[in-house]
Amino acid sequence: MSFIDNRRNAMQGWVLVKNDAPLVCMEIEDRPLKGGEVRLRVTHCGVCHSDLHVCRGWYDLGGGRALSLADRGITLPRALGHEVLGRVVELGPEVHGAEIGDVRIVYPWIGCGHCKMCRRGDENLCDNMRTIGIKEHGGFASQIIVPDARYLVDPGRIDPAWAATLACSGLTVYSAAAKIMPLEPDDAVLLIGCGGLGLAAIAMLRAKGHHNIVATDIDDDKLQAALEAGARAVVDSRMPDVREALIRSADGPFAAALDFVNSPVTAKLGLECLAKNGKLVLVGVGNGEIPLSLPSMVFSGKTIRGTNSGTLQELRGVVELANSGELNPVPITLMDKSLTNEAMSMLHDGKVVGRLVLV
């Protein structure tokens, strides 16, 4: 089905109408802007694993527990897509800081604006988020409405397709990498999963001066991509002695590990590969739970923590780093928005190296 939208305020999009079903190309009910709202015509939108989770409709929390879309306050129909770059086409009556024609990255992790988390700048941790592409219509639509111009970030000189991905994958790895610091440049860092986030993390760590990076995955193409992105070594996770192989490749246990899969197998592996005082940061929204020896955590001084995207200020830091030339882009595959369902299927089947961006 073609994706055509020639009317200035028409909203058409690839919409999730029913869980575990293909997205539907349909017109979305529009409304006038109010207050400081800004309307953007979407030019680029990344496709993220989080979109797959929303399509499925629930999350496996482990122990027989599940988290549904309803539990998260998500209602259907919904146009997905939270890695958005677009052009400003309309301003609300009270907008400050945006002009018609501006090309901007959209910070999608929008909070309530009133709680303690929001007041201190951690909107991504708000209990009542209004996330674009999850709670509000996102970049799989032709246009989106952003509640305030402060959520718009100038991409500068970088490629717009890469710029769109910085709103989630770039921001997520920037924030996750900050949580394992401080580290010496030669301290070993383990990356579990060499998809778009894993490759972005390699680029981010190298931009920060870290070079002892070891990556692991079950896909040969992604392992090769990790080497090309700058990993010191890669290890096939399917090996029976993968823990020993990883530690050998790093010349000893790891100071930190970033788990971009976050399943019982990968989280256990990451924890077991850590040196004393090591840090494991859980990034991926996988499934399940792991057993944990509580005395061992005390004796080893290890840390396990989660990370959830990042702050608006951190997004500005990512964009600044990208424009400095120190941060290398990840491989990006462009697809026409009319192929949104095909793009989702490719990501689901593990056939994507780097990131997919709809244009």
Side-chain angles (χ1 to χ4, degrees):
M1 183 181 295
S2 61
F3 191 93
I4 302 171
D5 175 16
N6 294 321
R7 294 168 295 167
R8 184 168 180 264
N9 288 337
M11 289 181 65
Q12 189 181 26
W14 288 93
V15 177
L16 178 65
V17 176
K18 180 182 178 182
N19 294 122
D20 277 332
L23 305 182
V24 177
C25 185
M26 59 184 287
E27 189 163 312
I28 302 169
E29 184 177 355
D30 196 8
R31 63 171 177 82
L33 298 184
K34 61 189 180 206
E37 292 179 332
V38 181
R39 190 188 311 272
L40 293 91
R41 185 178 300 279
V42 177
T43 61
H44 300 77
C45 186
V47 184
C48 180
H49 267 95
S50 295
D51 297 315
L52 296 179
H53 290 298
V54 175
C55 282
R56 185 175 68 171
W58 61 279
Y59 304 80
D60 177 0
L61 300 182
R65 296 169 296 145
L67 178 70
S68 69
L69 289 188
D71 294 331
R72 294 189 63 194
I74 301 170
T75 58
L76 303 182
R78 180 71 61 232
L80 307 182
H82 51 271
E83 291 188 338
V84 184
L85 181 138
R87 186 178 298 275
V88 174
V89 295
E90 188 180 358
L91 304 174
E94 301 172 11
V95 170
H96 300 283
E99 301 290 341
I100 300 295
D102 287 347
V103 175
R104 295 292 185 263
I105 302 167
V106 176
Y107 177 78
W109 316 106
I110 296 168
C112 70
H114 307 295
C115 69
K116 181 178 179 180
M117 290 295 181
C118 289
R119 292 198 306 270
R120 74 182 192 188
D122 293 325
E123 290 191 65
N124 55 305
L125 299 177
C126 174
D127 285 332
N128 297 291
M129 293 180 68
R130 301 171 289 162
T131 308
I132 289 174
I134 298 178
K135 292 284 188 71
E136 307 290 340
H137 290 307
F140 288 6
S142 58
Q143 300 180 7
I144 64 169
I145 296 174
V146 179
D148 193 280
R150 73 186 187 90
Y151 298 114
L152 305 179
V153 178
D154 187 345
R157 304 177 305 276
I158 63 175
D159 177 77
W162 180 34
T165 70
L166 299 183
C168 179
S169 65
L171 172 60
T172 297
V173 300
Y174 184 94
S175 187
K179 291 175 174 65
I180 63 174
M181 299 301 161
L183 293 177
E184 297 295 328
D186 58 350
D187 284 343
V189 180
L190 171 62
L191 304 183
I192 303 175
C194 300
L197 285 177
L199 298 183
I202 294 171
M204 189 67 66
L205 289 168
R206 290 185 62 85
K208 297 286 189 179
H210 299 276
H211 51 80
N212 192 4
I213 304 165
V214 178
T216 184
D217 201 288
I218 60 174
D219 185 287
D220 293 337
D221 291 338
K222 293 177 181 178
L223 290 171
Q224 180 60 37
L227 283 174
E228 294 171 359
R232 172 186 169 183
V234 297
V235 174
D236 190 327
S237 300
R238 295 165 292 190
M239 295 176 59
D241 57 346
V242 59
R243 175 183 176 275
E244 291 74 16
L246 286 168
I247 291 174
R248 284 198 305 271
S249 68
D251 298 327
F254 291 85
L258 301 175
D259 185 355
F260 296 108
V261 180
N262 197 16
S263 71
V265 172
T266 59
K268 181 173 181 289
L269 175 64
L271 186 62
E272 291 177 345
C273 285
L274 291 181
K276 285 191 172 183
N277 206 40
K279 303 172 185 177
L280 169 63
V281 176
L282 306 177
V283 187
V285 186
N287 61 81
E289 58 189 359
I290 60 170
L292 193 63
S293 167
L294 300 181
S296 295
M297 293 297 294
V298 174
F299 299 148
S300 65
K302 296 177 182 178
T303 300
I304 304 175
R305 69 168 299 174
T307 187
N308 185 0
S309 61
T311 67
L312 176 58
Q313 186 58 38
E314 286 176 317
L315 176 57
R316 297 187 189 281
V318 176
V319 175
E320 181 179 353
L321 188 61
N323 276 280
S324 74
E326 298 175 6
L327 181 65
N328 292 327
V330 299
I332 291 176
T333 300
L334 299 179
M335 294 184 69
D336 189 272
K337 195 172 277 187
S338 64
L339 302 175
T340 296
N341 279 319
E342 288 84 345
M344 295 281 280
S345 295
M346 289 172 60
L347 189 62
H348 177 272
D349 296 339
K351 296 180 179 179
V352 180
V353 175
R355 302 296 282 186
L356 277 177
V357 175
L358 303 174
V359 296

